[in-house]
Amino acid sequence: HFEGTPWYAMFCVVMVTYAFELLLCPCMIMNQVGKSITSETSKSRLYGFIVNKERSHRNTAACIGGCLQCLRCLSCNRLGGGKIRAQTDLKDASVAFMDFFNFNDKFDIVLSDVWIAFKMLGRVHRERKYKSSQQARFDKQSKSGEQLVPSLDLGFINENNDSDRAADDSSDENDLFVAEDNFSNKNAKRNYHPNVPDEDGNDTSTTRKTVLRHTRASDMHHIHQAARFSHYAMGVYDLYPDALLAAGQINGGRSGVYNPTQRGESHSNGTDGISLSSCFRLTDFGFPETALAYGTFANDILATPYSILVDEDARTVIVSIRGTATLEDMVTDLQFSSVAMERVGEVCGFDGKGTYSHRGMLTKSKWIYNDLTRRKILARLLPTDDSGNSNNPCHNFNLIFTGHSLGAGIAAILGTMFRPTYPELKCYAFCPPGCSVSINLALQCEDYVTSIVVGHDLVPRIRGSNFEMLRFEFLEILARIKVPKIKAWRDTRIPCKNKDLVVRNKRLLYSKNEIPMSSYFTELKSFQQKRRGTFSELVETNLHIPGRIIHLVNAIDCSGNKNKYLPYWESSKSLREIDLSIEVMKEHSIDNLVIILNKIATDYDNASKGIHVEDDDDDSVEPVEHNSFDEILSGSDFSADDRWFILCSRPNGSVSLIPTLLSIAAFCCAAFGNNTCSLFIREVEDGEIFHKMTMGGIEDVAGVTFGLYSYGIEYYHGDVDGYVLQCSQTIPFDVKNDVYIKMARAFSALAFVVGFPVICFLGLANCCRIRRKWFRRIAVAIFFVTFSQSMIFIFLLSDRCYQDLFPNLSGVDSQPCRLDNGSKMSVASSVMWFLAAVFTTYIDRASIVEGQMKMLSMHVTNRINDQ
């Protein structure tokens, strides 16, 4: 019965693994939720009570609020969430969610289409990131740093490559931003960077991205400022409140207020001085000349934590705003509808007519503005009329607003609000959300706001039009697939080097201008046209990333193993593509950003001083032939595979199957041979003996067998007219376990204890990429297993193999032990373990042979096709 065998259980495990790998259950659940949301009648079980759009929005907000409350419970209330009111706070999110999913067009898509589309779109995004990385790598190695860096035309990247182009090269996707670009050009004071010389006399006009150069004072200033102020943006998260709490200087606990400032004597101009002597110093954080003048750490839908610091070394007052850290902050992020800034401009003294900002960010910006105005912290630190007052410790200090993520967007808006009062203020926004301010306001604040974006960070790309373009890409990728889905699915399961992405994608996908017409593609084009019209109507209120943008691009590869980034002055148009990758959130980390900026600042300082910066990636970017012999030996380019674990994908080559199968066979042979009662046998000769067996019968005994833990009697059985073997765990003979038997048992146990992890590792090597040094280490372990398995034959030296088994019977001779069926299995196990060890040791050479065979097969196939 197959159902009762271990093979059936293994088959079931494999089937369950495949089911989860295909995300069957999550896809089914999302499919049902989607049907419920899009239902227009009361027949739907989940949303049958939804009668109109307003009620559907309310219920969607309730669902989102329920998810946030679940997160609150799972975090034991550490993430907050107790002050969230779903119906009012989550209205924007529910409207956007319903607008994105509740469309009338129906596409003939099944779950397998969804899976293939996500996998292929991820591959296309990987190719796009690889091109960007190679361009940055070329720019970094280029010695012509004084000029605008040209676009690199890498033959091995762009040759015959139409599988994936940037959104600006695609007329379909570019149409989504035509109205937006026209509006931007109409309202721009300048084309991103001023088309005038800077303070060094250099032309800063850039209609394309340019590399920040160590020979330009303005670029060096921005790099140093960003690196320095990033520490303050990071500290406001946990470092400052934890340090103040440990020192007992916060009133109100973890969510309290720190306000050590003291009023000094009134000056002649009517302003109050301020003393920094009692302020908390950031000595433990590497900034002994920086004083923490004020900090409030209350957090809810309106309030947000922020700190005011005085950097006496840089002669700067810094207002640092914390980013998203609680569920209340997350709700603020989800309040992304556009709100007019006209009334705010009237209060603060700037022209806000026709400008818009993120509703949640503006709400928190107003709260901070009112808090600063009410407490008069900035007014006391930086009086606007203290030009002649030298007693003020912050006399002639600069004002900087900074923050990370949500705090970056708030800092940009606050900078706009305080700009009329402090015309020279600056703002450094680290990874701000892409939906912070409207286009015209983003252009207006280029003079004083600098946004820093790392790699393919998702947050600066969060905009409605970007998600709309991602949906276009997702739906379009199904029309671009030119092979059967099963073939595409199999190809996605095979790990792919970055340099092979172009060729592999071209085999599976049509280029965007070669998509054949079909009913599905016709429906898709009609749907895209409708959605473009919707976004064209809202162009004035569409939100963007604020100010000038410094884009940090990984100059090595997409793996993230080396933090070598190259800074570019970038246009917001380059931040329109959302990549499907788990790395996008890692690049949003403020800790990672601080490390990257400090490394860039150090490298630029060394370059400006003429100090050579060693680069452990000195090889130049040169064309590499696909599937070449060198690529077969290279393993470093596998670090950016679609997934790190793919069942039976053999990323280390098919040769890894050989030691795996040998080890499994050896383990099974040892498990059977070492534990049977017929490991060795002593034949009985020179006289018949009879042994009393079960049921009181007397039988003719031909021999006695021994195992490591049992024995057996081989006797003549009349019913079968032949000899049979009967095993028992209790040895009746007066022979004790000597040291040789104990050693044989110990070596057998060692072989099992070490052999099983070895098999697991070799199995893992057939599912994910393993470094060569680990194969060498596992080869040593297999040699140890081979030695242990071979040492069980020390059993042959024990007394049990030589002492007289029947001392009371004269004339009966029992021969010494010889190998029986079990020992033959053990010998086979030792041989297979040895072969597996040898093959694992020389797996590199085996991979070379495999690569040569593949290349020979490819050449033969190509020659046959040419003929």
Side-chain angles (χ1 to χ4, degrees), residues 464-629:
S465 54
N466 290 358
F467 279 103
E468 196 70 25
M469 191 178 75
L470 178 64
R471 178 165 61 180
F472 288 173
E473 285 186 303
F474 174 81
L475 295 173
E476 188 183 58
I477 205 75
L478 292 173
R480 293 177 58 190
I481 298 176
K482 59 182 178 181
V483 298
K485 285 191 298 183
I486 187 63
K487 185 175 181 179
W489 178 77
R490 289 173 179 170
D491 190 86
T492 58
R493 289 179 50 79
I494 301 175
C496 180
K497 293 183 179 181
N498 287 327
K499 294 178 181 179
D500 292 334
L501 283 170
V502 174
V503 176
R504 293 273 294 273
N505 288 346
K506 186 179 179 182
R507 292 173 184 170
L508 304 178
L509 300 174
Y510 290 107
S511 63
K512 293 185 178 181
N513 56 357
E514 295 177 351
I515 301 177
M517 294 303 298
S518 63
S519 58
Y520 170 79
F521 190 56
T522 302
E523 294 175 1
L524 177 60
K525 299 289 285 185
S526 175
F527 170 71
Q528 290 177 345
Q529 196 64 33
K530 294 178 183 177
R531 297 298 295 180
R532 291 192 192 99
T534 301
F535 277 87
S536 299
E537 297 173 358
L538 303 175
V539 62
E540 294 185 5
T541 59
N542 285 344
L543 301 181
H544 281 250
I545 188 171
R548 304 170 69 185
I549 301 173
I550 297 179
H551 189 196
L552 309 180
V553 181
N554 193 322
I556 301 298
D557 51 42
C558 301
S559 64
N561 292 329
K562 302 177 182 179
N563 281 334
K564 292 187 177 297
Y565 285 77
L566 188 66
Y568 288 89
W569 286 116
E570 192 69 276
S571 166
S572 61
K573 297 178 182 179
S574 65
L575 303 179
R576 289 174 173 174
E577 299 165 341
I578 296 177
D579 291 314
L580 299 179
S581 171
I582 60 176
E583 297 177 359
V584 294
M585 294 311 300
K586 177 184 176 182
E587 291 181 317
H588 186 66
S589 169
I590 181 61
D591 299 319
N592 185 51
L593 176 63
V594 171
I595 295 173
I596 293 173
L597 285 174
N598 281 274
K599 181 66 169 61
I600 293 175
T602 302
D603 291 345
Y604 271 56
D605 279 340
N606 293 334
S608 64
K609 297 175 183 177
I611 302 176
H612 175 68
V613 180
E614 293 187 0
D615 194 344
D616 49 358
D617 190 56
D618 291 333
D619 54 321
S620 59
V621 182
E622 298 178 354
V624 179
E625 183 181 355
H626 293 291
N627 299 318
S628 64
F629 179 71

Side-chain angles (χ1 to χ4, degrees), residues 147-148 190-198 202-210 213 216 548 569:
Q147 303 174 2
L148 294 178
R190 56 195 180 188
N191 194 359
Y192 188 66
H193 294 301
N195 194 7
V196 294
D198 63 0
N202 298 316
D203 188 5
T204 58
S205 171
T206 56
T207 57
R208 51 184 175 177
K209 67 180 183 181
T210 58
R213 303 191 293 270
R216 286 183 54 194
R548 304 170 69 185
W569 286 116

